[in-house]
Amino acid sequence: MSLPDRIDPRPPRRIYRWDLDKTYLQTDFDSLKDLLRTAFQKAHEKVAIPGASALIRELSENGDSRLCIVSGSPKQMRAVLEEKLKLDGVRWDEFVLKDNIGNLLRGRFRALRGQVGYKLPAILESRVKAPAEAEEVLFGDDAEADAFIYSLFADLIAGRVDERVLSQVLEAGGVYPDDAERVRAAWKQIPVADPVRRIFIHLDKLTPPAHFTAYGPRVVPIFNYFQAALVLLADGHLSAPQVLKIAVEMVQTAGHNIITLSNSFQDLLRRGLPLQQAAVALSQALEGPNKLLAAMRPMPDILSAFSKRLAALGTPPPPPPVQAVDYVSLIHHALPRNHKGRTKPSP
């Protein structure tokens, strides 16, 4: 009996899509000086946002997921960015960077800062190659249009956005015709499904979470990756011990402490996130002696108090249905201030 030449990896059950700048990496590009410093940083000089690499590593532990990175960083930074990810122990399956040199040579100046015409076709084309049943979780930040783009991506493949609205959004976003055609071509190849479970927006600019209410409960603004880990525990993507490992790393390497983590937990509770079972699971995971978790004391007492408080609130209401998002109105809030696209979509 002959053996196969290779054994193909099993299809991914979950896909995690990440941005890099201000989502994974602490990056400043608000001035020319910041841009130059970022461009010339070596891999070991780049700093990951606390908890980000630990979260990615824990999400990959089951071996049934894919990590897809789509970053607005230029292609010329691939070597240093890949080296940084390797230093952090992050393994990726797909890594897309922006062709800024090509945009310059072609006189596509809007594309240098524009994100809708870059990220939307990139993630749609990636989805074409994904199994129809694969769930997705996306990670972005509040410095660009990630909440808008990711939500539009989710609603396009779920059949909640039609051709008319898409055309209005692409026109209002100043998307170049060839990129608009890429969007439509990829969209038409994707089977209708509703795979996007969560969209996390890292609040690098400390944008108030209420700013994202228009996108519905699928979009979860986070101040740190302990908050993302808590929600992913509640959603079944992580176990309680995995969340605690992320928290321990944030305490030991990034200056977090029990107060900041407790405040992060309470912030999510105030916003109505369904964390009742997550609090119980964490409490159980912290019971008994464990040297690794010694840094987390007195977390068990805090979680116990949370559990009692949540129990007093009774059974949480069912999550609200996915709400319709008015992308034609929201596109203008998502664009950079100096965007040169149309100010109004065509009727």
Side-chain angles (χ1 to χ4, degrees), residues 51 54-55 58 225-226 229 238 242-250:
L55 176 57
E58 294 304 321
Y225 282 109
F226 179 60
L238 293 172
Q242 287 179 306
V243 173
L244 293 174
K245 284 175 66 177
I246 295 166
V248 167
E249 180 168 312
M250 292 173 67

Side-chain angles (χ1 to χ4, degrees), residues 26 37 40-47 84 87:
Q26 295 181 358
R37 182 174 64 251
F40 289 101
Q41 276 182 328
K42 299 184 184 303
H44 70 273
E45 295 173 327
K46 293 186 177 296
V47 180
K84 169 58 180 172
L87 288 173

